[in-house]
Amino acid sequence: MSDAFDFDREINREGTHSVKYDGRQAMFGKADVIPAWVADMDFAAPPAVTHALIERAQHPIYGYTVFPDSLYDALIDWLQRRHGWAVQRDWIVMCPGVVPSINAAVMALTQPGDAIIIQPPVYFPFFSAATQTGRKLIQNPLRLDNSRYTIDFDHLEQCARQAKFLLLCSPHNPVGRVWQPEELEQLLQLAAKHNLVIFSDEIHHDLLYPGQQHHILAARTTDQHSVITAVAPSKTFNIPGLNLSALIVPDKAIRNAINQVFNSLHVSASNPFSVTAFETAYRGGEAWLEALKIYLRDTRDAVESYLAEHLPEIKAIPAEGTYLLWLDCRAMNLTDAELKHFFIHQAGIGLNPGVQFGQEGSGFMRLNIGAPRKTVLQVLEKIRLSMRR
């Protein structure tokens, strides 16, 4: 870890209207649990971002704000330098977060009754993007073989025959997979065969462990109609509360349709602070990110070692990306209701229940390791002590 960034520093977030901390009572029925659930981190944002926000706040007028060219340039430069993807300026649609973007794309490109494919266990807003808009939900569950999740392409082929839209999570939340080129190529071939549009949520694509490489789906195809890509600095630099993301949409007709949905709702993603943080993070956050990735790797490894030595009933699915660990708790032989009760009321830990990500998550829990390592190990110790009583 770089000496310039102290990820071991414990920062009190209580009283800041934090969902993760101040939302514990509503989520778990009690406030005295260690929160390791919602996907934001307990680390200070990159110093460059904090300094830029302070400087902007010192200008005492916070009026309506446009997206400057420099904002687009920062994103374009980042995607080219970090991911080798050359994005054109007019492909970019600035959006108020990835979840609203998913819903806007669904409403723009499908009709009520159309079928949308998701691949559970998966980020739960994927479900509601279909169910709350009157679309038909088709599930193509991931396969778990030898502690590794893969796509069931034979079943996906059957699903694609009756669908118009696929929601892809890449890297995958919560199972931590980083999809390989051959998997992505097979997805693109299937999409072309069945005229399927893929919405690729790549919000975690900068958070990979050493030895892993993210492959942007859209960069692997010349079919501009087939892929919409969602990116954001929110997970990468721990600024999700500022609610600014981007869609990369090469197809002009699709881009116009999505913009029309946002315009019809009079939704704007722009405010003085989100614009400042977005651009500054991509311009000045790279060294912080590299240090963060090393810290997260060491924490992931420490969790795996602790579980192997002290909690053999719980196994972490090997994470290739994200700061979220998918814990296989099936050997505890508890129902999902009993699992939830155990972690909240006996261990005093606030985790995301696996069934929140679909029935395929039954027997699993999601652990957020984006916190000082001392806190993460304290979580594990509380679990161990509770199981040994």
Side-chain angles (χ1 to χ4, degrees), residues 130-149:
T131 58
Q132 293 183 0
T133 58
R135 275 61 174 175
K136 179 182 177 182
L137 184 66
I138 297 181
Q139 299 189 40
N140 167 232
L142 299 178
R143 296 173 57 177
L144 179 57
D145 299 309
N146 298 319
S147 296
R148 193 167 193 260
Y149 282 89

Side-chain angles (χ1 to χ4, degrees), residues 302-314 384 388:
V303 170
E304 291 179 350
S305 296
Y306 188 101
L307 293 177
E309 183 175 354
H310 301 292
L311 285 168
E313 302 93 336
I314 300 175
R384 183 185 71 83
R388 300 297 178 256

